[in-house]
Amino acid sequence: MKLIPPARRKRAHLSQLTTTHFHLRHPLVVAFFSFSFPGFGNLMQQRYATAFMLILWELFINTKAHINTGILYSLLGDFEKAKAVLDERWLMFYVAIYMYSIWDSYRGSVDMNKLYLLADREDAPISSIRMGIWDINYLDKREPWLALV
């Protein structure tokens, strides 16, 4: 009898709370989500701890720098008032967090694509059920049109 060695990499992880799986993502799409709002690219990658930290940090710095008020005044054409309301120190910190968020989501997407390809080459199995004291999580086949409904 020939024994099949276990896969070194997993394609998916079922826990009692979520189902996390690898699949190919275009890194520029993930970077665009982080460009639209820091942390959204990490949410797309199911990296929740990093995503929520970036979102909360962005909201904190945005409040301290008065960025939204500055944007409002600049859209109204009152550029002097916009310059006066912005705090330059916090604004520079905001730019750094913004750029880090875009870079981190792009880099993470490239790394996850590599891991997916390695797991796919190994033909790693996906466990179909996870049972625990809080919940039972299982994979089942659904019709795609039901998602629309």
Side-chain angles (χ1 to χ4, degrees):
M1 179 160 68
K2 186 176 180 181
L3 293 175
I4 300 173
R8 291 171 44 191
R9 291 162 188 87
K10 291 183 177 183
R11 284 192 206 191
H13 175 73
L14 270 65
S15 73
Q16 296 172 15
L17 302 175
T18 64
T19 302
T20 306
H21 66 285
F22 283 126
H23 60 87
L24 290 177
R25 292 180 176 96
H26 197 290
L28 293 178
V29 172
V30 177
F32 174 75
F33 272 85
S34 280
F35 177 75
S36 65
F37 196 88
F40 281 5
N42 297 88
L43 277 178
M44 190 175 175
Q45 295 172 344
Q46 299 170 342
R47 297 168 56 199
Y48 299 116
T50 306
F52 290 127
M53 280 181 18
L54 285 170
I55 289 170
L56 291 174
W57 195 236
E58 190 277 339
L59 291 173
F60 174 74
I61 294 173
N62 192 334
T63 304
K64 290 290 189 182
H66 306 288
I67 293 172
N68 292 338
T69 310
I71 291 172
L72 174 69
Y73 288 140
S74 65
L75 288 175
L76 293 174
D78 195 356
F79 299 110
E80 294 303 320
K81 207 170 190 181
K83 282 195 278 185
V85 77
L86 288 174
D87 186 353
E88 292 86 10
R89 291 179 297 169
W90 284 104
L91 186 62
M92 294 305 290
F93 200 49
Y94 180 82
V95 170
I97 294 298
Y98 198 76
M99 290 294 130
Y100 171 77
S101 174
I102 295 169
W103 171 80
D104 183 53
S105 62
Y106 181 85
R107 179 197 52 82
S109 180
V110 169
D111 289 344
M112 285 185 185
N113 285 344
K114 290 177 186 176
L115 290 172
Y116 168 77
L117 291 173
L118 289 172
D120 190 48
R121 286 184 188 145
E122 290 180 354
D123 197 24
I126 299 174
S127 67
S128 60
I129 191 166
R130 174 73 179 203
M131 295 172 47
I133 60 172
W134 297 106
D135 198 7
I136 298 173
N137 190 357
Y138 60 92
L139 298 177
D140 61 344
K141 189 172 182 176
R142 303 263 174 118
E143 294 293 326
W145 64 271
L146 286 176
L148 180 64
V149 175

